[in-house]
Amino acid sequence: MSRAMQWQGCLPWGSWARLPRCLAGSRGTRGVSVCAAAVPGAAGRCFLRKILHTSSISLPRGCVRSLQGDSQDSSAQPGSSRRGQSPLRNVASSGAIKKHQKSLSAWFSHQPNEERQFGPSFSLDAVHVDPVIRESSLEEILKPSPDLTIQNQLQQPRRKVISLHKLFDVDACGRQVKNVVLYGTVGTGKSTLIKKMVVDWCHGRLPRFELVIPFSCEDLSHSHAHVSLRRLITKKYQHLRDVVPVLEASNLRVLFILNGLERLNLDFRLAGTELCCDPNEPVPPSAIVVNLLRKYLLPEASIIVTTRPSAVRRIPGKYVGRYAEICGFSDTNLQKLYFQMRLSQPGCSGEESQVRASAEQENLVEMLSRNLERHNQITAACFLPSYCWLVCTTLHFLYFTRTVPPSQTLTGIYTSFLRLNFSGEVLDSTDPTHISMMKYVAKTVGKLAYEGVMSRKTCFSEEDLRQCFEVEMKTESELNLLEVFRSDVFRFFLSPCVQPGKEHTFVFTIPAMQEYLAALYVVLGEKKTLAQRVGKELSEVIGKVSEDVAVVVNIVSKVLPLRFLPVLFNLLKIFPRYFSRVSGKDRDTIAHTMAEELFKEEDYYNDDVLDQINSSILGVEGPMRHPDEAPDDEVFELFPIFMGGILSRRNRAILEQLGCSIKNLAAFEIAQAMKKTVIRKGRRGLPPSELMDYLFFLHEFQNERFTAEAVRSLRAVNLSSVKMTPLKCSVLASVMSTTCHEVEELNLTSCNLDSGSLRTLFPVLLRCKALHLQLNSLGADACKEIRDLLLHDKCVVSSLRLANNPVGEQGARYLAEALAGNRSLTQLSLLHTALGDPGAEAIAQHLAQNHHLQELNLGYNSLTDTAALRVVEVAKRHETLDKVHLYFNDISEDGKRALDSLRMDRDGVRALVFLTAGTDVSDYWSHILNVVQRNLPFWDRERVRQHLALLLQDLESSRSQTANPWRKAKFLRVESEVKKMLGKLQDGSL
C-alpha cells in the first residue's frame, strides 16, 4: 500500500486542520520537566529556585541537585546496577574510552558558526533547557488527530512525561527497553537533545552506559561501499580500535545513537536486507542499522533513534521498545527559563558597562515575559526551541549590536536560522526527485506567503492552504511529498491563530517569516504566469530533443529532396534562445516589485521596520486592543528588504546549500534593473521612518557599488524622531561610509542619541555641513565627543544645533575648547542647554580665539546681566560674530538698556533679547516667537508664561513711549500675537 493511500486511510483528504499532533500536552504547568545543567552564576540558580517555588514545575532530582552543586545524576535507575565481573571490566575505565569521551565532548560541545556569529554562544555543558518529552505509541502516531487549534491542544489528554535519562527504563509491562525511537517535527530540538545526551555521558552524568557511539544517518546515507560494523566504528572513532574487537564478548553497556533516521532508506524484509550477526562482515551501512535494530547484531546494545514523524513507520513496531515524542517548550515557564538563561549570558551586551548591560538585559527579559504571559502568537511560536533561538538572536541584533559587519544582517539571521534547521535536507529520501526541503517550502509555503503579502493578510483559511498546496497535484510522488511536508514541516511555518474568532485559521509562526518566504518565492523566480510556465517547459523539451532531431533531419534531407526541413528546424531551434531572452524580463519584474514595495506611500508614516520587529517580539506597552475594535492594516515593509538581503552574496551561498540556487547573473541583472527606479525614488523627500527603512534596505542588500550610487544622491538626511538605537546608528554609519561626499544636512533631532551613538556616527558627522542634534539628552560626555569632532582637521560642520540638551557647565567647557580650535563652524545654537553663568563665561573666554563663528544662540539659559554683557563684550571684538541670541534669560531692566544701546554699525554685533529695539519693534520678533512656539512642548510652561508676560509689559511700555502711529500699529500687532500665545498657553491648547 502506498504511503499516500495509508495517509488517506487515517486522515480525511483536504482537511488542513487535522494534522499529526505536535503539541501533545497542555500548556499548563503540571507534569512539565525542566532540566538545566549547571545554570551559570548565583543569579541563574536563584532564578531556577524561584521557578521551583512559584510554579508547579516538577524537576528531576538530578536537576535539583545541580542547584545544590552536585552535577552527578545518581538517582537509582533500573538496569544501571553493575552486572557480574567480565574479563574486560577494566575497559570501562580504560584510556581508550576516556580518550573517546574527551574527543566526543570537544566535538559535540562545538557550536555552529551561527551560534558564535549572532551573539554569545549557548554552551551545552553549562546551560541547557530540555524540551518536554512525552511517551507515545505507534497506535497513537497513526490514529487521526483532532483539529489543530489552540483549544484542542489545551484539551488533549496528557501523556506521560519522561526525562531523557529515563528513556531506557523498563516499560509498563516491566520489560527492559533496548530500542527507543525519539521523534519530533522540524525545530523541536532533536539534534540538540542528542548532543546534550552525549555531552552528559562524557561528563559522567549518564552512568547507565559505559560506552556511547553516535552515528549520523546523513553520513551513513552517503556511504555506498560495504563495510563491517567494526570498520565503521574505528573509521569514525579511532580511539576505540582496542575496544571494538572485544565489544561483543564483553558485557560492556553500549549505547548506539542514530541521529536523523529519515535520511536512510531501510528495508526490514529478509529479501531486502539479509541477516547479519558478525560485526566483522562487510555489508551496506543500512544493513548494519537494520540488524542492530533487529537485535541480530550486538543484541545487548541499546539504541536510540531520532527521526521526523514521517519516518517513524520505517521501523516495524516489534523492534521498538519505546516511542517518545519531543514536544518542544509546550509550557511558557520553559520558554521564560530559556530566555532568562540566554539573554543573561555574560558578554551578551558587548563592551558596555556591566551595570547598564545588566539592567538592559533584565528589562528585556521582563518585557518578553509579560508578552508571553499574554498568550500572544509569540507564545505559540516559542513552543519550538528553534524559534526561541531566533527570538534571542533577533533581540541581540536589535539591542546589543555596536558594529555591523557584512555577516550581521537581519536577512542573514533568518537565512542562517533556516540552514540550522534544514541544512540541505531532502524532503523525502525515498522520493526519486530528491527535492530539498527548503526548495519545496519556497515553492509552496512561499506562494502562500506571497499571496498573503499582496492581499495584505496574515490569516489563512483551509481553502487558502488547499489552493496553494493541492491544486497543482498531478502524480503519486507529489502526493507523497505533501504527506511528508504536512507531518514534518507544516507546523514549523504555520500555526493556529490565537486571536479570538480566528481559531480555525492559520498564521505564520513568526510574522516576519511570511515576508522572508514571500521574498524568497519572488527572487527564486517561482512567481510565473501560466504562459511563462508553459513556455519554459516547451523550451526545455525542444532544447533536449533538438540535437537528436538535427541528426535525423540531416540524414533524411540527403535521401529525400526536402530542402525546407532543415530551414524549419533551424527556425524551431530559435525558440529556446528567444525564450531565454524573454524570460530575462523576469528580472525586470522582480526589480519592479522590489522598488514598488519599498516605496509604498501608504506605509510612509508607520514605525520603521526595526521598531516593528521589536514590537512583535516584546509587545506594545499600554492597554490591549478590544476584541471588537477594528485592527490596523497589515504592513509588510520587511518584504522588499528581505528581497534585497536574499540577493546578497553571502545569503545566496547559504541558500545554495539549502537547494535554492540564485545565480550571480540573475542577482546582477536584478540590481541593474532596479537601480534607476530605486535611486530616483530615494531622492524624493522621504519621511524619517521611511528613510530609515531605505537605509536599512541598502545595508541588507550588501552591494557596495549600488549603495554608493544611492547614498551619493542623498544630499540631506532627515531622521528626526527616529529612535536611533546602536544598531540603527551602525547601519547609518555603514551605509554612509560607502562614499566620501559631503552631506548638506543631517537631522537627528529627538533621536535618543548618547555619547556612544556620536562615537559610532563620528565618520558621518565629519562630512555634514548642517548638524541638528536637538532634544537628545546629550550631556557632558557627549559634548566631549562633539569637541573631538569639531577639532578634527576634516570636519566640515558649519551649523550645529544643540538646543534642549542638558549640556551644563562641564559640557560648555568642552564646547568652548572646540570653538577655540574649530575653523568651519559659523552657527552654534545652545538654546535651553542649562549653561548658567559659568557655562556662558567659559564660552566667552574661548570665543576670542575663534575666527569664523557668525551666530551664537544662548537663549533660555538662566543668564544674568553679568554673563550676558560679558558675552556681548567679547562678541563686539569678534571678527565675524554679528548676532547673539539672549532672549528668555534672567536679564534686568538695566541689562536690557545696556544691550539695547548696541548698534550694528557701531558695535558690529546685534543682541536679540526682547521683542523691542528701543522705541521700535525688533526685526526679529517673529523669529523669537516662532522659537518659543516650536520648543514649548519641551520647556517649563510656567516659566515661559512668565517670560511672555514680561515681553508683553515691555511691548506696552515701548508703545507708550512712541508717538509714531506706524510704530504703534506694529506694537499692537506684536502684542496681539503674544496675547494669543498666552491665552492658548493658559487653555492648554498650545
Side-chain angles (χ1 to χ4, degrees):
M1 183 185 293
S2 70
R3 280 185 301 165
M5 294 181 65
Q6 291 175 3
W7 181 34
Q8 286 177 317
C10 67
L11 187 64
W13 173 247
S15 175
W16 278 92
R18 302 174 73 82
L19 295 168
R21 283 189 295 276
C22 295
L23 268 178
S26 74
R27 290 187 183 274
T29 57
R30 285 197 309 174
V32 177
S33 171
V34 183
C35 182
V39 181
R45 290 192 295 272
C46 178
F47 178 81
L48 281 176
R49 291 194 187 100
K50 182 179 178 183
I51 291 288
L52 286 170
H53 287 93
T54 58
S55 66
S56 54
I57 298 177
S58 66
L59 289 151
R61 290 185 196 171
C63 185
V64 175
R65 261 193 292 276
S66 70
L67 297 177
Q68 302 168 349
D70 183 6
S71 62
Q72 287 292 114
D73 182 7
S74 56
S75 57
Q77 300 177 9
S80 64
S81 60
R82 294 188 172 269
R83 297 169 185 169
Q85 292 293 324
S86 99
L88 297 170
R89 180 51 51 198
N90 61 334
V91 170
S93 58
S94 69
I97 290 185
K98 289 189 179 299
K99 287 181 181 179
H100 178 59
Q101 287 178 322
K102 185 177 179 181
S103 175
L104 282 182
S105 177
W107 178 253
F108 280 84
S109 297
H110 177 76
Q111 297 295 333
N113 290 333
E114 288 78 6
E115 282 281 356
R116 301 190 300 273
Q117 182 179 340
F118 301 109
S121 61
F122 205 169
S123 172
L124 285 172
D125 192 38
V127 181
H128 182 71
V129 180
D130 276 341
V132 172
I133 304 174
R134 296 187 184 278
E135 195 163 359
S136 182
S137 64
L138 187 60
E139 293 76 15
E140 198 161 0
I141 295 169
L142 296 178
K143 74 179 181 182
S145 301
D147 290 350
L148 185 62
T149 62
I150 294 298
Q151 285 73 15
N152 282 334
Q153 287 172 3
L154 292 170
Q155 295 168 7
Q156 285 175 10
R158 293 193 309 273
R159 291 172 291 161
K160 177 184 175 183
V161 174
I162 186 168
S163 70
L164 184 66
H165 292 185
K166 294 184 178 180
L167 288 175
F168 290 94
D169 284 1
V170 294
D171 61 14
C173 299
R175 293 172 300 196
Q176 184 63 47
V177 172
K178 287 293 185 179
N179 292 351
V180 173
V181 172
L182 187 65
Y183 69 95
T185 58
V186 174
T188 49
K190 300 183 294 295
S191 297
T192 303
L193 202 61
I194 290 301
K195 288 170 70 174
K196 178 62 170 57
M197 187 178 193
V198 173
V199 171
D200 279 354
W201 175 75
C202 294
H203 291 82
R205 292 191 289 266
L206 195 63
R208 180 192 294 272
F209 302 106
E210 295 169 328
L211 179 61
V212 170
I213 304 176
F215 284 113
S216 165
C217 292
E218 180 182 12
D219 290 343
L220 297 179
S221 68
H222 295 318
S223 177
H224 303 292
H226 287 212
V227 64
S228 67
L229 176 60
R230 175 179 176 178
R231 174 61 183 150
L232 187 63
I233 295 174
T234 55
K235 182 180 176 182
K236 300 288 184 182
Y237 306 107
Q238 295 183 3
H239 299 300
L240 299 180
R241 285 194 303 267
D242 298 332
V243 179
V244 172
V246 293
L247 199 59
E248 189 176 17
S250 69
N251 289 326
L252 202 65
R253 297 191 298 275
V254 181
L255 171 66
F256 285 96
I257 298 176
L258 302 173
N259 188 35
L261 187 76
E262 67 276 355
R263 308 207 184 186
L264 280 177
N265 294 326
L266 303 183
D267 189 350
F268 280 81
R269 298 172 304 162
L270 289 177
T273 304
E274 62 181 6
L275 296 175
C276 174
C277 62
D278 184 3
N280 298 311
E281 181 181 349
V283 293
S286 59
I288 293 177
V289 172
V290 168
N291 281 290
L292 282 172
L293 290 168
R294 284 171 173 167
K295 291 303 169 192
Y296 205 73
L297 184 62
L298 298 184
E300 293 302 316
S302 299
I303 302 171
I304 184 168
V305 172
T306 68
T307 185
R308 301 199 306 256
S310 64
V312 169
R313 287 169 291 179
R314 294 185 189 178
I315 306 176
K318 62 183 178 180
Y319 298 128
V320 180
R322 174 170 283 128
Y323 291 95
E325 181 184 10
I326 303 179
C327 299
F329 295 155
S330 55
D331 184 271
T332 53
N333 285 306
L334 290 177
Q335 299 171 12
K336 289 180 184 179
L337 181 60
Y338 180 95
F339 291 132
Q340 169 73 23
M341 292 178 174
R342 184 90 189 199
L343 294 174
S344 300
Q345 286 289 292
C348 182
S349 57
E351 299 177 357
E352 284 197 19
S353 67
Q354 192 62 33
V355 175
R356 180 179 175 182
S358 177
E360 189 161 16
Q361 290 168 342
E362 290 177 6
N363 185 49
L364 277 179
V365 173
E366 180 62 28
M367 292 178 68
L368 193 53
S369 296
R370 285 203 299 268
N371 203 24
L372 290 171
E373 288 167 1
R374 294 178 185 142
H375 293 284
N376 282 340
Q377 200 66 49
I378 190 175
T379 311
C382 289
F383 117 85
L384 290 170
S386 58
Y387 273 112
C388 292
W389 178 90
L390 181 61
V391 166
C392 290
T393 302
T394 306
L395 286 176
H396 183 273
F397 179 67
L398 293 175
Y399 281 88
F400 303 119
T401 301
R402 299 295 177 256
T403 58
V404 280
S407 59
Q408 286 278 24
T409 65
L410 187 66
T411 315
I413 289 175
Y414 275 75
T415 307
S416 298
F417 168 70
L418 292 174
R419 195 188 76 80
L420 279 172
N421 286 279
F422 295 97
S423 62
E425 288 186 50
V426 297
L427 182 61
D428 184 5
S429 61
T430 63
D431 187 77
T433 62
H434 291 290
I435 185 173
S436 76
M437 196 181 298
M438 197 62 230
K439 180 70 172 178
Y440 187 88
V441 167
K443 289 166 69 72
T444 54
V445 188
K447 179 183 177 183
L448 180 73
Y450 173 75
E451 292 180 356
V453 168
M454 291 297 101
S455 57
R456 299 179 81 83
K457 70 176 184 180
T458 56
C459 293
F460 303 93
S461 64
E462 286 192 32
E463 182 59 30
D464 295 327
L465 299 178
R466 193 175 295 111
Q467 287 294 322
C468 283
F469 291 96
E470 300 176 8
V471 165
E472 297 182 5
M473 289 227 154
K474 300 174 184 176
T475 66
E476 177 80 3
S477 175
E478 290 175 340
L479 194 60
N480 288 336
L481 288 175
L482 182 59
E483 174 199 358
V484 175
F485 170 79
R486 284 165 57 111
S487 64
D488 296 352
V489 190
F490 179 85
R491 185 65 176 84
F492 183 83
F493 291 104
L494 293 157
S495 58
C497 183
V498 300
Q499 190 175 339
K502 296 184 178 181
E503 292 85 354
H504 294 281
T505 61
F506 293 88
V507 296
F508 277 83
T509 309
I510 290 288
M513 188 59 75
Q514 177 179 354
E515 297 173 80
Y516 181 93
L517 292 177
L520 185 61
Y521 177 75
V522 174
V523 173
L524 286 175
E526 296 294 337
K527 187 178 81 71
K528 291 183 175 68
T529 62
L530 178 61
Q532 287 174 326
R533 288 198 296 269
V534 172
K536 182 180 179 182
E537 292 176 3
L538 186 58
S539 174
E540 290 174 353
V541 170
I542 293 174
K544 288 177 182 177
V545 303
S546 61
E547 294 182 2
D548 296 334
V549 174
V551 174
V552 174
V553 169
N554 287 332
I555 295 172
V556 171
S557 63
K558 290 178 181 179
V559 178
L560 300 175
L562 302 175
R563 303 292 183 184
F564 64 91
L565 284 179
V567 176
L568 288 177
F569 183 70
N570 287 331
L571 289 174
L572 193 62
K573 287 200 295 184
I574 293 174
F575 182 79
R577 292 197 295 271
Y578 174 75
F579 180 78
S580 66
R581 292 179 183 177
V582 173
S583 64
K585 297 295 182 182
D586 291 349
R587 318 282 192 245
D588 296 338
T589 305
I590 294 172
H592 178 74
T593 302
M594 198 180 307
E596 288 299 316
E597 291 294 325
L598 187 61
F599 297 105
K600 267 193 172 180
E601 292 189 7
E602 56 262 40
D603 296 335
Y604 267 15
Y605 298 98
N606 299 323
D607 291 339
D608 62 80
V609 292
L610 293 174
D611 284 348
Q612 291 176 29
I613 294 172
N614 183 66
S615 299
S616 70
I617 295 175
L618 299 180
V620 179
E621 295 298 316
M624 298 186 68
R625 185 190 300 277
H626 191 274
D628 297 332
E629 186 179 345
D632 296 332
D633 290 337
E634 300 291 349
V635 293
F636 297 96
E637 293 181 90
L638 269 174
F639 170 53
I641 293 174
F642 277 142
M643 287 178 72
I646 287 170
L647 287 171
S648 71
R649 184 182 297 275
R650 180 179 177 276
N651 286 317
R652 282 190 287 117
I654 297 176
L655 287 169
E656 181 77 33
Q657 300 171 21
L658 297 177
C660 300
S661 178
I662 304 169
K663 303 300 182 184
N664 288 334
L665 181 61
F668 175 77
E669 289 177 347
I670 293 171
Q672 289 296 109
M674 76 175 184
K675 184 179 294 184
K676 292 181 181 179
T677 307
V678 169
I679 293 176
R680 185 182 72 251
K681 293 189 175 184
R683 285 197 192 101
R684 299 184 309 190
L686 297 173
S689 61
E690 193 69 15
L691 179 58
M692 187 68 239
D693 290 346
Y694 180 45
L695 295 172
F696 189 58
F697 165 80
L698 294 175
H699 166 70
E700 293 283 313
F701 195 30
Q702 293 291 305
N703 186 322
E704 190 169 339
R705 182 179 298 177
F706 182 95
T707 301
E709 290 190 41
V711 169
R712 202 173 289 117
S713 65
L714 296 176
R715 292 293 173 180
V717 179
N718 179 11
L719 295 173
S720 60
S721 301
V722 173
K723 186 179 179 181
M724 294 298 290
T725 61
L727 172 62
K728 294 177 190 176
C729 290
S730 298
V731 167
L732 176 59
S734 174
V735 169
M736 298 297 288
S737 67
T738 56
T739 68
C740 298
H741 78 289
E742 291 183 359
V743 180
E744 294 295 330
E745 181 181 4
L746 176 59
N747 190 344
L748 295 175
T749 301
S750 188
C751 289
N752 292 84
L753 301 180
D754 55 17
S755 57
S757 306
L758 297 181
R759 202 174 301 120
T760 301
L761 294 171
F762 193 91
V764 180
L765 303 181
L766 281 175
R767 297 187 279 124
C768 299
K769 292 182 178 179
L771 190 54
H772 301 268
L773 299 176
Q774 306 97 301
L775 294 164
N776 278 299
S777 301
L778 300 177
D781 290 342
C783 290
K784 190 174 180 180
E785 299 294 330
I786 295 172
R787 177 199 64 183
D788 297 340
L789 171 72
L790 295 175
L791 291 177
H792 198 281
D793 57 354
K794 293 184 180 179
C795 177
V796 298
V797 177
S798 59
S799 176
L800 176 61
R801 299 183 182 277
L802 287 168
N804 300 306
N805 282 299
V807 172
E809 179 184 346
Q810 184 58 46
R813 296 186 186 280
Y814 288 132
L815 294 176
E817 294 175 21
L819 281 176
N822 179 265
R823 298 188 300 275
S824 64
L825 198 63
T826 58
Q827 293 179 325
L828 176 61
S829 175
L830 296 173
L831 175 70
H832 191 221
T833 50
L835 300 181
D837 284 358
E841 180 65 30
I843 296 288
Q845 285 177 1
H846 291 78
L847 200 54
Q849 301 172 48
N850 180 280
H851 305 290
H852 301 86
L853 195 64
Q854 298 174 10
E855 185 176 352
L856 177 64
N857 191 336
L858 299 178
Y860 202 158
N861 273 298
S862 303
L863 305 188
T864 61
D865 295 357
T866 304
L869 292 171
R870 169 78 171 120
V871 171
V872 170
E873 284 299 320
V874 175
K876 286 165 66 175
R877 299 190 295 272
H878 197 278
E879 300 175 21
T880 57
L881 185 59
D882 60 8
K883 196 183 296 179
V884 180
H885 300 251
L886 293 168
Y887 38 81
F888 275 57
N889 281 304
D890 301 333
I891 299 174
S892 65
E893 284 296 322
D894 293 338
K896 175 184 176 300
R897 283 193 291 272
L899 294 172
D900 278 346
S901 65
L902 293 172
R903 296 290 180 271
M904 187 65 192
D905 54 351
R906 184 188 68 203
D907 302 305
V909 67
R910 179 181 287 109
L912 310 183
V913 185
F914 287 89
L915 302 180
T916 60
T919 58
D920 199 357
V921 175
S922 170
D923 294 338
Y924 298 94
W925 70 268
S926 60
H927 170 77
I928 294 173
L929 291 182
N930 283 336
V931 169
V932 173
Q933 191 159 0
R934 283 198 310 268
N935 291 279
L936 192 58
F938 321 108
W939 289 359
D940 182 352
R941 287 176 172 263
E942 180 58 29
R943 186 172 179 184
V944 171
R945 191 190 63 76
Q946 294 174 5
H947 275 286
L948 287 176
L950 289 174
L951 292 177
L952 185 60
Q953 291 177 13
D954 182 63
L955 286 168
E956 292 171 347
S957 174
S958 298
R959 177 167 55 84
S960 64
Q961 295 175 17
T962 182
N964 188 320
W966 173 246
R967 288 184 178 179
K968 282 183 179 289
K970 288 170 66 177
F971 275 115
L972 288 172
R973 180 191 172 193
V974 178
E975 285 176 33
S976 68
E977 292 292 332
V978 175
K979 288 178 180 177
K980 190 186 299 182
M981 192 176 289
L982 272 170
K984 289 183 178 180
L985 190 61
Q986 290 173 352
D987 295 342
S989 58
L990 189 64

